[in-house]
Amino acid sequence: MSGSGRFSGQVAFITGAARGQGRAEAVKFASEGADIIAVDVCAEFDSTSYPGATRADLDETVRLVEEAGRKIVASVADTRDFEGLSAALKAGTDAFGRLDAVIANAGICTGRMSWEITSAEWQEMIDVNLTGTFNTAKAAIPYLIEQGEGGAMVFTSSESGLKGTPFTAHYSATKFGIVGLAKTMANELGEHKIRVNTVHPAGVRTGMDMSADMNPLMDKYAHTLSPIFMNSLPYEILEAEDVADVVAWLCSDEAKYMTGVRLPVDFGNSNR
């Protein structure tokens, strides 16, 4: 695998890296010269209908990064656990000696009508998606400030962080919350040349298979809600690599003057 080398000598910290977008991002950055600090919880969640990532999935990410010719420090850690997450990041920075890019990607999703979401489902969604993103940034920012060379952070939001997507009130709340967090941090960190942006994908072909939750709801309410899900471009689903390309660009010098940006990768869905 070859790349442009635009991240040569740099280190990227990626959460949710065992599969899907996180794995694609790890491979993308590695193919362009970066070493990787990878984290994933590698566990099941109480509220999701799809299987969680496994240690074998994370090991495959390790293999692919090494196949791309780069080094990787991969840890099983939960982004909800600030101390454990911080220890995983320290293991990586101790090994590589620096930090340049932070991709807060870990997240979960379930589909429910808003008033049918249980308190436990709501809390798990908030804890994983929003608190986990906050913990990732909180752990990484002191490294970037002390290093004194700037840096880039990208938080994975969603098209559901731009519009009121039906059946995902708890998920949408976290993804809108991520935007507020990123915009505030972009303002606070600008003086340190640390950029903070959000990326907003449409549906992505990953291990997060929502069909068991969403298909019955889509069938039941298609007569009133289906136009909300329409795309402007004639495509239906993204590949994880499509999102990784955009995240890498946001972290590169090609986007060095961009911060506080909400960047959709959604076939024009949020334009509807």
Side-chain angles (χ1 to χ4, degrees), residues 21 153-162 175 178-179 182-183 195-202 238 242-252 254-255 258-271:
Q21 292 177 60
M153 299 200 297
V154 176
F155 301 163
T156 301
S157 182
S158 168
E159 65 178 335
S160 297
L162 297 172
K175 296 305 185 178
I178 284 170
V179 172
K183 283 185 168 292
R195 302 182 296 106
V196 189
N197 295 296
T198 53
V199 65
H200 298 257
L238 293 159
D242 299 324
V243 182
D245 288 344
V246 174
V247 170
W249 177 75
L250 276 174
C251 290
S252 75
E254 296 160 27
M258 296 177 64
T259 195
V261 169
R262 298 173 296 176
L263 188 58
V265 192
D266 66 351
F267 312 123
N269 182 283
S270 58
N271 193 51

Side-chain angles (χ1 to χ4, degrees), residues 5 7 11 14 22 42 69 88-89 91 114 131 161 176 201 213 216 220 225 246 270:
F7 300 116
V11 176
I14 303 170
C42 298
L89 176 57
S114 58
T131 302
F176 271 93
D213 288 348
K220 184 175 180 179
L225 298 177
V246 174
S270 58

Side-chain angles (χ1 to χ4, degrees), residues 19 43 53 64 73 100 110 127 140 166 169 177 212-213 221 252:
R19 65 184 185 189
L64 291 169
V73 173
D100 300 276
T110 60
D127 291 346
D213 288 348
Y221 296 102
S252 75

Side-chain angles (χ1 to χ4, degrees), residues 180-235:
L181 179 65
K183 283 185 168 292
T184 298
M185 287 184 168
N187 288 332
E188 294 174 341
L189 294 169
E191 66 172 310
H192 300 286
K193 298 182 181 178
I194 298 168
R195 302 182 296 106
V196 189
N197 295 296
T198 53
V199 65
H200 298 257
V204 185
R205 198 189 316 273
T206 69
M208 188 186 289
D209 182 357
M210 293 289 298
S211 57
D213 288 348
M214 298 294 281
N215 287 354
L217 291 167
M218 290 289 289
D219 290 344
K220 184 175 180 179
Y221 296 102
H223 61 291
T224 58
L225 298 177
S226 59
I228 297 175
F229 295 95
M230 291 179 63
N231 299 328
S232 296
L233 294 173
Y235 310 108

